[in-house]
């Protein structure tokens, strides 16, 4: 199986005492059978350099802050048109916006125009809770919204993520940093086997346990392959 890792970062993060460069990421990918990783970093040029260096192994998402207005949209245009990036990443918690605020709408219009998914960090109050993504998914039913971490470590937010994904066909759940393996099976059963995708959140997380979490969640062999590989290929159009 050629695993696709839908959530990784490059750079140095002193707060977490971790760092990773592209060579190290490729070496870990080789060790764990990961064919392609989806990368987003700040600055975006860090992602660009890595994608240029390993075009067969890494694909980029452009990380933008909607408070930047037109500049954010220009970054999206450039990354998709000139750099060949495959989607957009936003972080409501770090950048202090609610996912259903109108400030996000122009970015959603861009995602619609380019037919690319948007991955949001999901699982921390006050800015990135699942119910706000539900409102956004209702306004843009034709844009694919990926809930990174599917609620993260909090059972109420994890259940909330599963609930909102069940309501909106355009919401996808991504498994990194969500500690409850059985919730992956529940998500597949309630939301759909084609709407849950694996991520490691490297370097904050590690494929050694993130892949294992999917494998022991109680899914069938076929479903494990869908979560680890097949679904992300379709969503990112690889
Ligand atoms: Zn992350």
């Amino acid at each position: 199986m050629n695993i696709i890792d839908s959530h990784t970062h490059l750079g140095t993060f002193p707060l977490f005492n971790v760092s990773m460069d592209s060579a190290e990421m490729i070496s870990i990918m080789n060790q764990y059978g990961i064919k392609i990783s989806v990368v987003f970093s700040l600055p975006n040029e860090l992602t660009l350099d890595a994608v240029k260096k390993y075009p067969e192994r890494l694909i980029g998402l452009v990380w933008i802050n909607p408070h930047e207005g037109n500049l954010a949209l220009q970054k999206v245009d450039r990354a998709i048109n000139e750099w060949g990036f495959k989607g957009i990443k936003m972080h409501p918690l770090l950048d202090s916006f609610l996912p259903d605020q109108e400030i996000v709408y122009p970015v959603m219009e861009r995602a619609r125009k380019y037919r690319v998914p948007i991955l949001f960090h999901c699982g921390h109050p006050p800015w990135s809770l699942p119910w706000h993504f539900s409102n956004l998914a209702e306004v843009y039913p034709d844009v694919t919204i990926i809930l990174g971490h599917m609620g993260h470590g909090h059972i109420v937010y994890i259940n909330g993520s599963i609930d909102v994904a069940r309501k909106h066909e355009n919401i996808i759940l991504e498994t990194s940093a969500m500690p409850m393996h059985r919730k992956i099976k529940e998500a597949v059963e309630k939301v759909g086997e084609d709407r849950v995708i694996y991520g490691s959140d490297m370097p904050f997380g590690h494929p050694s346990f993130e892949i294992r979490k999917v494998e022991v969640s109680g899914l069938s062999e076929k479903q494990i392959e869908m979560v680890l590989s097949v679904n992300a290929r379709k969503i990112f159009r690889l």
Side-chain angles (χ1 to χ4, degrees):
M1 181 192 327
N2 287 319
I3 296 172
I4 312 293
D5 190 332
S6 296
H7 190 143
T8 70
H9 305 270
L10 295 167
T12 302
F13 309 91
L15 181 65
F16 297 87
N17 194 21
V18 291
S19 68
M20 187 164 282
D21 63 18
S22 55
E24 192 182 348
M25 183 175 287
I26 295 292
S27 140
I28 293 177
M29 286 166 64
N30 291 341
Q31 199 181 340
Y32 290 93
I34 300 164
K35 182 74 196 298
I36 296 170
S37 286
V38 179
V39 188
F40 26 96
S41 327
L42 287 175
N44 285 295
E45 284 73 12
L46 199 58
T47 309
L48 177 63
D49 288 346
V51 168
K52 272 187 180 165
K53 207 165 163 191
Y54 301 101
E56 313 279 299
R57 307 296 304 278
L58 303 178
I59 69 159
L61 303 191
V62 58
W63 187 328
I64 54 125
N65 175 355
H67 286 300
E68 289 184 341
N70 258 339
L71 179 62
L73 301 179
Q74 285 164 15
K75 286 180 182 175
V76 172
D77 290 340
R78 187 159 185 219
I80 305 289
N81 291 324
E82 292 174 32
W83 297 355
F85 281 21
K86 303 280 191 189
I88 300 165
K89 149 80 182 227
M90 286 197 276
H91 205 308
L93 181 70
L94 291 183
D95 290 329
S96 314
F97 65 92
L98 291 172
D100 52 355
Q101 273 181 304
E102 284 186 17
I103 193 176
V104 177
Y105 289 6
V107 184
M108 297 300 287
E109 306 281 349
R110 281 299 201 277
R112 173 188 276 161
K113 177 182 163 191
Y114 293 125
R115 296 174 56 229
V116 295
I118 304 196
L119 189 149
F120 289 91
H121 178 96
C122 168
H124 288 98
W127 301 106
S128 66
L129 297 182
W131 304 279
H132 290 283
F133 296 106
S134 182
N135 299 335
L136 184 67
E138 203 162 300
V139 180
Y140 291 95
D142 53 346
V143 175
T144 300
I145 295 169
I146 301 168
L147 302 190
H149 316 304
M150 57 179 285
H152 217 278
H154 194 306
I155 185 61
V156 175
Y157 307 153
I158 296 165
N159 284 345
S161 297
I162 293 173
D163 284 346
V164 302
R166 184 150 57 161
K167 269 188 219 135
H168 301 284
E169 279 184 20
N170 55 323
I171 293 184
I172 306 292
L173 300 175
E174 179 268 305
T175 61
S176 66
M178 189 284 294
M180 301 168 200
H181 62 290
R182 193 62 78 179
K183 285 287 167 185
I184 296 174
K185 181 172 195 254
E186 185 180 325
V188 164
E189 284 168 351
K190 289 184 173 169
V191 177
E193 60 186 11
D194 56 345
R195 286 175 46 216
V196 181
I197 58 176
Y198 156 76
S200 71
D201 204 17
M202 278 194 277
F204 310 105
H206 198 281
S208 56
F209 56 85
E210 288 290 353
I211 292 172
R212 196 77 190 117
K213 203 173 74 187
V214 175
E215 287 171 343
V216 301
S217 64
L219 297 174
S220 70
E221 284 300 315
K222 177 186 159 248
Q223 288 169 329
I224 291 171
E225 190 170 355
M226 291 179 81
V227 172
L228 289 179
S229 175
V230 177
N231 296 342
R233 263 174 211 284
K234 284 190 194 142
I235 288 158
F236 292 103
R237 296 197 280 150
L238 301 176

